[in-house]
Amino acid sequence: MINYLKSLVKFDKIKIDPLKGTRQAILMFIPLIIGYLTDQLQLGLLMSTGTLAHVYVFGGSARSKLRIILYTTIGLSIAIILGSLTVTQPLMFGMLLLVVTVVPYFIFSALNIPGPSSTFFIVAFSLPINLPVAPEEALTRGLTMFAGGLFATLVVIVNILIAKESAEFKAVKNDYTIIKQLVEQFNDETAFSSISRKAVSAFKNADHQFITASLPKGKRSIKFQKLLILHNLAQGIHAELLELNSENNRPLDTEIIEMVNYISDMITNKEKNNTMWRKEVDVSPVYQNLIDYIFRVDEIMHANDEKIAREIDIRVPIYGQHMYQNLTLDSIIFKNTLRYIVIMGISIFVALMFHFDKAYWIPLSAHTVLVGRHTMHSLERAGARGVGTVLGVIALSVILISNPSVPVAIALLALTAGITETFVGANYSFAVIFITIQVLLLNGLASQHLTLSIALPRITDVMVGVIIGAIGLVILGRKTASSMLPSSIGEVVRAEAKIFHYLFSANSYAKQEEGKKEMLLLSVKLSNMSRVYDSANGEIFNHKVSIQNYYPTIYALEEISFMLTRALNNSNHMHINDEQMGEYLLVFENIAKHFDHNNYIVIKELSSLPQYVYIKEALMNIQHNCIHTNNVQSHK
């Protein structure tokens, strides 16, 4: 309980975002004040609501930011059109409200898009409750909200243009900062392993940045291609370090450390080291591949535009595939969506059946509880929502007693919107105070009733929604992920075995597209496995130690995936004979069956591969961890 209370007042300073808060405050204020001055407050209100699409823009490539804000703008516009058409038909309104909440929730979850999920889709759909009943104005309202979204898009474009560094350049800088750390700590095996875990996650995030920013071949800029080559070379250096580590080739020569520091500083600080490496390097032949990668980085950094002519084969984002692959009961996202449908359906039913005045506050509150990362996080959000709402209502009630004018209410609405976006990532319970004030003022301006009647009843609505969400989570979210975790690991093992055979079998395949397709499926399964692990780790009735014992296996599988990706992109990778292939496929299947049936596993020694020898070490580590996990469970 003490830890929970501390979490309510703890601020993560790194996540405070004053620039985004300032932009959101301006975006809300300008349409509202123009609407007020031109006696078109309702249009100004709709347009300012459309600017909430800006809330969904987080870090990422310029293309991904624009893609998210445009699609969100379209979604918000459709939501208010549907709400305006059905506001007088409770049954239809309730059914469509469920659709408007579930569809964005699933899409945002499947594509792993951070942000408030369906929150402002619920607000947009329900806003007509506070407006005059006018179904004939549905299209006008939708277009006005769309205009607000375009205004927000314009602000995002300006912010992208004035940014000093692109997201892709920041990703590459981070790549080489980590490479520098890996090389410096290579001679300390424990420290190297710790940093290597961070590296796998960092490279995965950088991959995502480049994929979401990618254009079709022939349309990529020289600058983008250069950054992409540097990113791929950083992954190559990491792969070589893993290989050297698996063979215990220590200590690393000081010349190599010096070279890596040189190229890392060259990339992370443009003002330093603007000349090529000139010193002669004399090291053991076992380091030759690593040296070749380092020299290649040096070469690319000093290549002119004409030399950067090599086209990199990178996947363009296939969002439909990611969503389709999650439409199965094996997916934690799909199971969470089913749970979400049930709980949100109950909250909407209660709100409409018992004729609550502003019925949407109940599903809105239930929704904010359900978008937590896992069960415990969601229950923490439930408490934060309750406390923040009460404080927000009290603060607004004090303000409303003084009968504020419309311009004051507009300024306060913009201010609270800005404060919300500044602090929502740093402390949710603090931000909820201002979210509450913001949405209540939005409703008050829409209904033209800035009185206590818009505030005090909302405490009851929110508490009902929070209780429904919390009880639903306790009943439906107890051990769902824990029971799914072993089978999700087994699926990843079999998917990697399939790609391993595709890549290294002597019966080689001619079409590389098949490998890319399988790698896409593997990435979905890896994402599902990681999410299942996170969810299982946060469930209420689980055995923490048992869940956490799976982590070394999950990490090893991610590293195998990394090595397989490297092999897929290397047209000159070697093949192995059928005997060795059978040896490796047997171990893959033994591991998969272990997780499918929780049976004991007999450790099989593996012969070394001609390339990508780290795959052998990772498989041996998984086998040993399976034995360790069985021993722990047998002593529980």
Side-chain angles (χ1 to χ4, degrees), residues 196-208:
S196 186
R197 294 190 180 195
K198 297 177 184 176
V200 171
S201 176
F203 288 135
K204 190 188 298 183
N205 291 335
D207 272 337
H208 179 73

Side-chain angles (χ1 to χ4, degrees), residues 284-352:
S284 169
V286 298
Y287 301 120
Q288 191 56 52
N289 287 341
L290 178 61
I291 292 295
D292 289 344
Y293 273 114
I294 297 170
F295 273 125
R296 177 71 175 140
V297 173
D298 197 19
E299 178 189 342
I300 292 299
M301 281 300 296
H302 294 94
N304 55 35
D305 289 354
E306 288 73 20
K307 283 191 175 182
I308 308 290
R310 173 184 168 190
E311 285 284 347
I312 301 296
D313 192 10
I314 183 171
R315 302 188 309 274
V316 294
I318 309 175
Y319 300 115
Q321 282 278 8
H322 276 278
M323 289 187 284
Y324 175 74
Q325 294 298 329
N326 279 295
L327 287 173
T328 168
L329 286 173
D330 293 328
S331 166
I332 186 67
I333 293 167
F334 189 67
K335 283 195 171 182
N336 285 346
T337 302
L338 293 178
R339 181 181 69 186
Y340 182 86
I341 291 171
V342 172
I343 297 173
M344 288 300 293
I346 292 171
S347 68
I348 292 171
F349 175 80
V350 169
L352 296 177

Side-chain angles (χ1 to χ4, degrees), residues 431-533:
V432 167
I433 298 172
F434 299 95
I435 293 172
T436 302
I437 297 172
Q438 175 189 349
V439 177
L440 287 174
L441 284 173
L442 195 68
N443 295 339
L445 288 170
S447 61
Q448 300 181 13
H449 291 294
L450 291 171
T451 63
L452 288 174
S453 63
I454 69 169
L456 294 176
R458 301 296 76 79
I459 293 179
T460 303
D461 301 341
V462 169
M463 291 307 172
V464 170
V466 167
I467 290 170
I468 291 172
I471 292 175
L473 279 175
V474 171
I475 295 173
L476 301 176
R478 289 178 293 178
K479 297 186 72 173
T480 304
S482 301
S483 61
M484 291 177 64
L485 185 55
S487 61
S488 68
I489 294 175
E491 286 184 12
V492 170
V493 174
R494 286 197 172 93
E496 290 187 341
K498 189 173 182 180
I499 296 173
F500 181 88
H501 181 269
Y502 170 87
L503 289 170
F504 300 114
S505 171
N507 301 313
S508 58
Y509 297 84
K511 293 183 179 179
Q512 194 183 26
E513 290 304 315
E514 186 66 25
K516 292 178 184 177
K517 179 182 176 182
E518 293 298 333
M519 195 60 76
L520 172 63
L521 296 177
L522 174 60
S523 70
V524 173
K525 292 181 186 295
L526 279 167
S527 176
N528 183 61
M529 178 183 68
S530 297
R531 293 191 191 195
V532 171
Y533 174 77

Side-chain angles (χ1 to χ4, degrees), residues 63 67 210-221 224-225 311-317:
R63 285 180 61 80
R67 191 183 292 120
F210 280 101
I211 290 170
T212 57
S214 182
L215 287 167
K217 285 185 177 182
K219 295 184 180 180
R220 301 170 194 152
S221 68
F224 178 86
Q225 291 185 62
E311 285 284 347
I312 301 296
D313 192 10
I314 183 171
R315 302 188 309 274
V316 294

